[in-house]
Amino acid sequence: MQQNQFDLLEEVEKDIEVDPKEVKKLKEYEKLLILERNRKDFEKAKSLIKFGCFEQKNETTIDFSKLELIDTPKKYRGLYQLYRDLETMQLLFVCPLVENNKGDVDERKDLKPYAYDVIYIENMDNETYQMVCKAATNNLRTTLSVAYKASIILYFIHVAVTIIISIYTFITYSMNGNKFFYSLFNTIFNLGTYYIGVILATPLLVLIMIKYRKYRDR
């Protein structure tokens, strides 16, 4: 009887056995999750490069069997494809180096690379990555704030200097017996570069103020 039970179990196991060659069809939400993960990894890799958290090397050979290609809408700088190390989960950008290749749409696909330009991204968990982003943003915000305040101060200094020199020049011409309009014309003519500077700097400063406020709010 026990033997019959074992035989029955074997038959059931054979019935539910899945062919390993059968490819699993991903559901729509699984595709979306993969796309979102790829997008986040791509943005993470680019951000860490901006923050200096990377190491760039030239490799003569690469074992692509240990790497997972991360499908992205575009390549980094139009040349580097993003990969993920299957063992360490480290992200890396890889650019094949091909002799006499342009690296654009006209590049020859039949030429084999003689080496690879690889950008190894610093491997860190999401918590550490968020801390690095926050620290970098705070430093950038401080730098932008100083530059913004400095531009305002320099603008008003330039306006004040222009007004003072204009008054002094006008008074000098008037004291020499010149008429009002003659003194005014000569003042404007001689200080034209100052006035042009104010005219150009005013809309530029307004644009900087708008951009800075949008950045600060964001």
Side-chain angles (χ1 to χ4, degrees), residues 186-205:
N186 280 278
T187 300
I188 295 174
F189 179 79
N190 291 326
L191 302 178
T193 54
Y194 287 86
Y195 299 134
I196 293 174
V198 173
I199 293 172
L200 294 177
T202 300
L204 183 60
L205 181 64

Side-chain angles (χ1 to χ4, degrees), residues 68-83:
E68 176 188 2
L69 175 64
I70 300 178
D71 188 21
T72 54
K74 57 182 180 180
K75 297 180 181 180
Y76 177 63
R77 295 181 181 174
L79 299 172
Y80 294 83
Q81 183 67 58
L82 184 61
Y83 288 85

Side-chain angles (χ1 to χ4, degrees), residues 79-103:
L79 299 172
Y80 294 83
Q81 183 67 58
L82 184 61
Y83 288 85
R84 182 187 296 112
D85 192 308
L86 295 174
E87 295 180 357
T88 63
M89 304 305 292
Q90 183 182 20
L91 299 174
L92 57 152
F93 282 113
V94 179
C95 173
L97 300 177
V98 182
E99 194 70 32
N100 298 325
N101 237 15
K102 299 179 180 180

